[in-house]
Amino acid sequence: MPVRSPAVARPERALLVQQRSQTDDKTESLEELVLLAKSAGAQVCDSVTGVRRRPDPATFIGKGKLEELRGSVERHEGELVVFDHALTPVQERNLERALCCRVLDRTGLILDIFAQRAETREGKLQVELAQLRHLSTRLVRGWTHLERQKGGIGLRGPGETQLETDRRLIGQRIEHLRKRLQHVSVQRELRRKSRRKVPIPTICLVGYTNAGKSSLFNRLTGESVYAEDLLFATLDPTMRKLSLPNRREILLSDTVGFIRHLPHSLVQAFHSTLEEVSRASLVLHVVDSAVEDRDERIEEVNRVLEEIDAGDVPRLLVYNKVDLNPDLRARVESGGEGLASAVWVSARRGDGISGLTGALENLIFRDTRHECLRVPPQAARVRAFLFDKAVILSERFDNWGGCLLEVDIEAAQWGRLCRLAEFSMCSIVDGKSVAASV
């Protein structure tokens, strides 16, 4: 008897709706909505666009567009209608009644994608919290078979009671999730403190979704983090150690991508995860150089960085995907003090990666001295200072009990070290500066 293959879930047939004013960019925004729908697993059958001075308070679109949309839904046997806007609960209810199918706004679509992508415990908690906060404003859609009228004897039906019960249960669940995320945030802070005891610089990759952050992360670290040509392909943050050409090490963190009109509830839910960005030594802002609206996307990412209190963190622009445009080439642009201000690379082919790592060295370690020190046995206090304030690259002992340390140390800390131990610099031996106690 032949073995049946498991049934594959058929993608939902979706229709997209976009209503804009005269100043909106119709093409780019609708293209982004198509990518969002495909990333959620929908099959886009048709799209309806229009121009209106202000949204209709009942259905968001006018009566004419509503009739056009109803005809398109019937013609394509649509199961889902996605609006590229934020809808009120009343608008969603009225649209579902008129179209006889599910209606989803932009926020609900993004939340659905996040729910599919979350893998870690913290990520799932954050997505559930954002979903419940979004759902708490839309309880008007439920219990349509019950009475909701208020005021007057005999008009208080069970629907009102049920809605109040739902609100209370959702509120209790939100409070429970918020406390659990606070506990996770405390654990994350403890891990940060343990990392700060070994002062290795942290660099965070940020950027518009689908700019190639995960591909660049894999290229730099040699990892195989999931990377796909989808919006929000990576949701949970990943951190790996990266060795630079001069053997210095840094921590590289890959974060969730940003997008236009990112729901504020999502930014709040993922605030504990994005705190890593605000405490980074450097932010690598990855930009898709192949898109025409890259300047607008840069501004959108900068706005979100300001919202998570990361606006003052030093930033390096990394223009990715230069291989998709024959007019672009991999290069390093220099800014003030001879330091890199922008790097053009191709994460897929590896073009410009060496220039990027060189730029990272200059930016991260520009105020750092690389020294080889000999600490005599009686200077244990100096050795403890070095392990506390410097990055120890290597340690070995000579035949007299002295400790030979190769360290990276900030210039200010080096001055304190010299005053503490009263070191005097000796002549260069084997290409390294050797310090000995006076």
Side-chain angles (χ1 to χ4, degrees):
M1 186 175 182
V3 180
R4 279 188 169 184
S5 58
V8 179
R10 179 180 58 81
E12 289 183 281
R13 292 185 295 272
L15 291 89
L16 310 182
V17 180
Q18 182 193 67
Q19 182 172 274
R20 63 187 181 93
S21 63
Q22 296 289 348
T23 58
D24 289 337
D25 189 342
K26 169 186 172 182
T27 305
E28 291 298 331
S29 182
L30 184 59
E31 180 181 336
E32 187 172 88
L33 183 62
V34 172
L35 290 175
L36 280 171
K38 290 182 177 179
S39 298
Q43 176 187 350
V44 179
C45 300
D46 194 11
S47 62
V48 176
T49 60
V51 180
R52 189 180 175 89
R53 181 175 301 176
R54 63 177 61 90
D56 185 274
T59 59
F60 193 84
I61 55 178
K63 293 183 179 179
K65 284 295 177 183
L66 183 59
E67 290 298 325
E68 178 184 348
L69 181 58
R70 183 189 292 114
S72 183
V73 169
E74 294 175 355
R75 190 165 55 253
H76 295 280
E77 297 182 353
E79 302 167 282
L80 175 67
V81 175
V82 180
F83 278 71
D84 190 24
H85 314 275
L87 300 176
T88 66
V90 173
Q91 288 170 343
E92 280 193 21
R93 180 194 61 188
N94 293 338
L95 286 168
E96 287 188 346
R97 286 177 176 175
L99 301 175
C100 300
C101 69
R102 287 198 305 118
V103 175
L104 204 62
D105 64 356
R106 183 184 179 91
T107 301
L109 181 61
I110 294 176
L111 284 171
D112 183 81
I113 297 173
F114 274 44
Q116 295 180 42
R117 301 285 190 270
E119 296 290 342
T120 63
R121 170 174 166 265
E122 182 180 5
K124 292 178 180 179
L125 289 175
Q126 290 169 333
V127 171
E128 184 180 355
L129 177 61
Q131 286 178 321
L132 287 177
R133 283 175 173 168
H134 183 66
L135 178 63
S136 63
T137 64
R138 279 155 168 73
L139 291 180
V140 69
R141 294 174 55 194
W143 301 91
T144 55
H145 61 290
L146 298 178
E147 181 62 60
R148 283 196 194 86
Q149 297 181 18
K150 294 193 293 184
I153 298 175
L155 295 179
R156 297 182 180 90
E160 181 184 357
T161 303
Q162 183 62 54
L163 287 176
E164 291 298 327
T165 302
D166 289 347
R167 289 191 185 100
R168 185 174 65 255
L169 292 176
I170 289 179
Q172 291 173 353
R173 180 62 179 171
I174 288 176
E175 183 63 20
H176 175 69
L177 290 174
R178 191 180 62 81
K179 291 180 179 179
R180 290 180 65 182
L181 282 172
Q182 284 180 347
H183 179 67
V184 174
S185 180
V186 171
Q187 293 178 331
R188 185 182 291 275
E189 181 60 30
L190 290 175
R191 289 195 292 268
R192 289 195 191 102
K193 288 182 178 179
S194 64
R195 289 198 300 267
R196 283 197 290 268
K197 292 180 181 179
V198 182
I200 300 179
T202 301
I203 297 179
C204 285
L205 292 171
V206 302
Y208 208 82
T209 183
N210 207 30
K213 297 184 302 301
S214 298
S215 298
L216 182 61
F217 182 88
N218 291 337
R219 174 65 67 174
L220 289 171
T221 61
E223 293 288 331
S224 56
V225 174
Y226 178 73
E228 191 62 49
D229 188 18
L230 295 172
L231 302 188
F232 300 115
T234 303
L235 180 59
D236 298 306
T238 308
M239 186 172 289
R240 294 291 185 273
K241 187 177 291 186
L242 171 63
S243 297
L244 297 177
N246 63 355
R247 293 188 299 159
R248 293 168 174 167
E249 292 183 334
I250 61 174
L251 290 177
L252 192 64
S253 177
D254 186 17
T255 60
V256 62
F258 303 145
I259 198 170
R260 288 190 188 96
H261 311 301
L262 188 67
H264 189 72
S265 60
L266 283 181
V267 177
Q268 285 183 331
F270 283 85
H271 198 276
S272 59
T273 301
L274 296 175
E275 279 180 356
E276 200 71 48
V277 180
S278 62
R279 305 187 184 198
S281 304
L282 178 70
V283 167
L284 289 188
H285 183 172
V286 183
V287 181
D288 187 349
S289 63
V291 297
E292 296 180 358
D293 62 338
R294 65 189 184 199
D295 292 335
E296 289 79 3
R297 296 188 176 191
I298 291 175
E299 292 178 3
E300 185 66 28
V301 172
N302 291 338
R303 186 190 63 78
V304 179
L305 290 177
E306 292 287 345
E307 191 171 350
I308 62 174
D309 300 326
D312 297 331
V313 180
R315 215 168 300 171
L316 175 64
L317 284 173
V318 180
Y319 291 94
N320 191 24
K321 304 183 183 181
V322 297
D323 54 306
L324 300 182
N325 191 336
D327 297 330
L328 300 178
R329 60 181 178 83
R331 66 185 188 276
V332 178
E333 295 181 2
S334 298
E337 302 179 2
L339 300 174
S341 61
V343 183
W344 299 72
V345 302
S346 170
R348 186 175 65 88
R349 294 194 316 197
D351 301 345
I353 298 299
S354 59
L356 175 59
T357 54
L360 293 179
E361 282 184 356
N362 295 333
L363 289 169
I364 294 294
F365 299 103
R366 64 179 182 273
D367 296 327
T368 303
R369 297 175 62 109
H370 181 77
E371 300 289 348
C372 182
L373 312 174
R374 180 185 180 275
V375 181
Q378 63 272 22
R381 184 181 176 189
V382 175
R383 182 172 177 271
F385 178 87
L386 287 171
F387 272 88
D388 184 45
K389 302 296 184 182
V391 177
I392 309 300
L393 300 178
S394 66
E395 178 186 21
R396 57 191 176 91
F397 295 88
D398 58 20
N399 296 330
W400 296 274
C403 180
L404 299 176
L405 293 173
E406 186 181 358
V407 301
D408 283 333
I409 186 169
E410 295 181 0
Q413 299 293 353
W414 174 254
R416 289 182 57 190
L417 177 64
C418 292
R419 290 191 297 271
L420 173 67
E422 297 182 353
F423 277 6
S424 61
M425 301 304 298
C426 299
S427 58
I428 297 178
V429 179
D430 294 333
K432 294 180 180 179
S433 301
V434 179
S437 180
V438 179

